[in-house]
Amino acid sequence: MARTSRAFRQMHAIHAWTGAVTALALYVVMLTGAVAVFARHDLAAWADPAVNAEADPGFSAERALRLSIARFQAETGAPAGSAILFFPQPGAARAHVSVMAAAEDGAAGHDGVDYRLDAGRVTDASAVVGRAAGDTERLYQTDWTTPLGSFLVHLHTDLWLPPPWGRYLTGLLGLTLLISAVSGLVIHRRLLRDALLLRWPRGRSARWREAHKSVGAWGLLFNLMIGLTGTLLSFAAALLLPIVAVIGFGGDVAEAERVFVGIPPAAGVERPTADLDRLMADVSTRSPGFRPAFLHVHHLDDAAAVVDVTGFDRGAVSQAKYRFDGATGAFRSRLDGLADDAALSKTLAMLLSLHFGNFGGGLVKAAWALLGVASAGLVLSGLMSWVERRGRLVAGPVGSAAGARLAAPLEARAGKPAGTPGRAPSGRGYGLLARLAGGVGVGVPLGLAGVMAAAHPMAALTPSSAAATGALTFVFWSLVALACALAIALRPLASVLGGLLTAVAICLLAAVVARGFLAGVWPWHSLAEARWSVVMTDLVLVGLSGGLAWAGLRLARLGLAPRAAGERVGAAVP
């Protein structure tokens, strides 16, 4: 029995400290992930009215690719092993082509050059307006979506930290979420049984604990899935593939990658790759309204060449891939991830579909977003519950019966007799942590709302997509830092958080107004054009603005209200 009790206490400590150490960073990832599920399609259409338009029929994929390959060979003197063409978004003026050199065995190398092209004049050598050399990890992050979408996706996947460290950090946070979900299930033995009991106990600390347990019970399966898929996606290229290569391929990572991606090795026989414009016409015939995202040529100008055209079928929210024989131009198959013959492609597609909800349309994405917000609240409520309890433990008055009971473990640890007059150690550190948690808790929504409000002004002021994305990143982190500084410096905390919530509401409403003035598209215009995702985005922004304004004003008044006569003076948060 003693061993069981000790193991239970150890599991409780693991659960508490694992969550406390990483809670704030995990909160940022979870909340931004709830928004990022809409970044590639719905928010991209909201940020750029041209995103849902048909692709420019005058753009030549063949000319763009051949121009970039000629430039690459002239600069490096090396043969091209593979190339990736990122199509210009409708209404945009830039395309990207990433060219990778061929390795000695004919496989594609991992280093290359990314060329930025003026999409309107790809027949002219002067169409190349920029270049960047680097690893394919860098090249795959080429911004072929809107600045808003690019900012949101990379904020969730790597927190805009240098690769690969940002991806490693989010992978560790996913593992933390997984550990917290499992340990929480163990220590809250009646968690599932009490899931349907909605209680609202007296006392702030008890309410934090009850909210944490209720949200944890309802979102348990979701958090287990998100933690597992997030960890695997973050570490897939860095850890999983090398491990598989060591186990099954004698350490040959390139061979393992070829097998699992489903691309055969180069034949070593030179043969021109089929005209890419003809292949694009074939895709358009098979899927009218298809929106191409990128085109990947494996083993360029080789008899074993393979061409993959990836994009979105009309009305679809998940990507589809059309595969062609590169030498003959013959259509091979349509792959949507689950139907992919390649083990790695299928696995990654399943992980991405589960993680971002790309398998059931808008309703699934909406459910994923709501569950993501709830999970972010779960992280924050768990931290606040822990801080509240520990803060009361070290700051409670020892003279009272409750204070003596709370302080006894600390006194015993310090070698004092129980009930020694005086006060337990200071709870100032826990109070500071509580204020920081409150600042981050409201600062991240403020940063996201500020980015939404700044999306159209930045697009109008900065024609460069990279500059606009960088400006949005600066806006986000500046607002988060401002919220944390105000929460730490000003009192009472409730009034500060209420004012920040009101600021979030103002930014969300400003986002709709800024879009109307600068893009010339008001909600009624989107309604008349039946652009339902844009209409829903505007409605959600306006609805959230009203709800958060009401909550912010109530919280601000609560903070300014006089304290009750019997209220504790030793609370963790002044």
Side-chain angles (χ1 to χ4, degrees):
M1 186 69 178
R3 290 183 178 178
T4 302
S5 177
R6 181 180 179 184
F8 180 81
R9 289 196 302 270
Q10 289 176 343
M11 183 63 70
H12 194 284
I14 291 173
H15 179 76
W17 280 104
T18 299
V21 169
T22 60
L24 296 182
L26 184 58
Y27 171 79
V28 176
V29 172
M30 294 297 293
L31 191 60
T32 55
V35 181
V37 297
F38 300 107
R40 291 293 193 193
H41 184 265
D42 302 276
L43 288 180
W46 180 85
D48 186 353
V51 163
N52 281 344
E54 298 295 335
D56 182 3
F59 177 76
S60 172
E62 177 70 17
R63 293 172 181 172
L65 189 78
R66 292 299 172 181
L67 174 65
S68 301
I69 291 172
R71 182 72 171 263
F72 175 81
Q73 292 175 338
E75 292 177 351
T76 65
S82 67
I84 307 173
L85 165 64
F86 294 88
F87 288 90
Q89 289 295 300
R94 296 287 183 265
H96 297 263
V97 178
S98 296
V99 184
M100 274 71 75
E104 293 182 359
D105 59 355
H110 288 275
D111 290 322
V113 180
D114 173 63
Y115 296 98
R116 183 171 299 150
L117 308 179
D118 185 332
R121 49 190 180 98
V122 294
T123 58
D124 189 349
S126 63
V128 178
V129 296
R131 69 185 299 279
D135 186 83
T136 51
E137 177 71 14
R138 156 70 177 83
L139 301 180
Y140 270 109
Q141 293 184 2
T142 304
D143 294 331
W144 52 268
T145 183
T146 60
L148 177 63
S150 177
F151 164 77
L152 291 173
V153 169
H154 289 302
L155 179 63
H156 174 67
T157 58
D158 49 44
L159 295 174
W160 281 100
L161 295 174
W165 305 111
R167 194 64 57 88
Y168 291 168
L169 175 59
T170 54
L172 290 174
L173 292 174
L175 184 60
T176 298
L177 178 63
L178 190 61
I179 293 173
S180 297
V182 173
S183 58
L185 179 62
V186 172
I187 66 174
H188 299 301
R189 299 175 181 178
R190 296 183 296 176
L191 183 69
L192 299 179
R193 190 182 72 180
D194 295 342
L196 298 177
L197 298 178
L198 301 178
R199 295 175 294 186
W200 190 249
R202 297 180 61 183
R204 180 174 56 193
S205 181
R207 289 174 185 172
W208 279 119
R209 290 196 300 271
E210 191 64 29
H212 182 73
K213 288 192 293 184
S214 298
V215 176
W218 285 101
L220 178 63
L221 293 179
F222 177 79
N223 290 323
L224 289 172
M225 181 272 296
I226 289 294
L228 178 62
T229 56
T231 302
L232 292 176
L233 286 171
S234 294
F235 292 124
L239 296 178
L240 296 182
L241 189 60
I243 291 174
V244 171
V246 170
I247 295 175
F249 297 89
D252 191 342
V253 177
E255 180 64 21
E257 188 174 357
R258 276 198 296 264
V259 171
F260 279 91
V261 172
I263 303 298
V269 178
E270 186 174 348
R271 184 173 300 176
T273 299
D275 185 277
L276 300 181
D277 292 332
R278 180 167 63 85
L279 302 188
M280 293 303 303
D282 188 306
V283 174
S284 299
T285 301
R286 297 177 186 278
S287 177
F290 178 79
R291 293 183 293 112
F294 61 92
L295 180 152
H296 194 166
V297 182
H298 307 269
H299 309 317
L300 183 72
D301 292 333
D302 186 87
V306 175
V307 179
D308 289 331
V309 181
T310 303
F312 297 88
D313 293 323
R314 185 187 295 274
V317 296
S318 58
Q319 290 182 338
K321 179 166 58 180
Y322 291 83
R323 175 162 291 179
F324 295 87
D325 185 292
T328 65
F331 174 72
R332 286 189 180 180
S333 59
R334 177 190 179 277
L335 309 174
D336 60 2
L338 297 180
D340 202 327
D341 295 330
L344 183 60
S345 297
K346 181 183 293 186
T347 302
L348 290 177
M350 292 176 65
L351 292 175
L352 286 169
S353 295
L354 286 173
H355 194 75
F356 289 101
N358 294 334
F359 59 88
L363 290 179
V364 172
K365 282 188 170 290
W368 255 230
L370 291 174
L371 288 168
V373 172
S375 296
L378 174 70
V379 172
L380 196 62
S381 64
L383 176 62
M384 292 302 295
S385 176
W386 185 78
V387 168
E388 184 80 8
R389 182 176 180 274
R390 298 292 297 182
R392 288 179 182 275
L393 183 65
V394 301
V398 179
S400 65
R405 190 166 57 249
L406 290 172
L410 293 179
E411 292 173 345
R413 198 173 299 172
K416 295 181 180 180
T420 302
R423 295 184 61 83
S426 171
R428 184 176 302 172
Y430 289 103
L432 180 62
L433 180 58
R435 289 182 166 276
L436 179 62
V440 173
V442 182
V444 175
L446 178 61
L448 292 173
V451 164
M452 295 290 289
H456 286 92
M458 291 301 175
L461 294 173
T462 56
S464 168
S465 175
T469 304
L472 294 180
T473 305
F474 175 78
V475 168
F476 176 81
W477 290 116
S478 297
L479 290 176
V480 173
L482 176 63
C484 292
L486 293 176
I488 291 173
L490 301 181
R491 287 168 173 73
L493 180 61
S495 297
V496 177
L497 298 183
L500 291 173
L501 279 179
T502 305
V504 175
I506 294 172
C507 288
L508 292 176
L509 189 60
V512 179
V513 175
R515 182 174 185 270
F517 277 113
L518 297 176
V521 182
W522 295 91
W524 49 86
H525 295 146
S526 302
L527 184 63
E529 297 173 1
R531 302 186 69 185
W532 305 117
S533 63
V534 177
V535 172
M536 287 301 301
T537 302
D538 283 330
L539 289 177
V540 168
L541 291 178
V542 173
L544 283 176
S545 176
L548 291 175
W550 175 81
L553 292 175
R554 279 183 59 93
L555 190 58
R557 286 199 298 268
L558 178 64
L560 295 175
R563 293 178 180 268
E567 186 177 356
R568 285 180 52 87
V569 296
V573 185

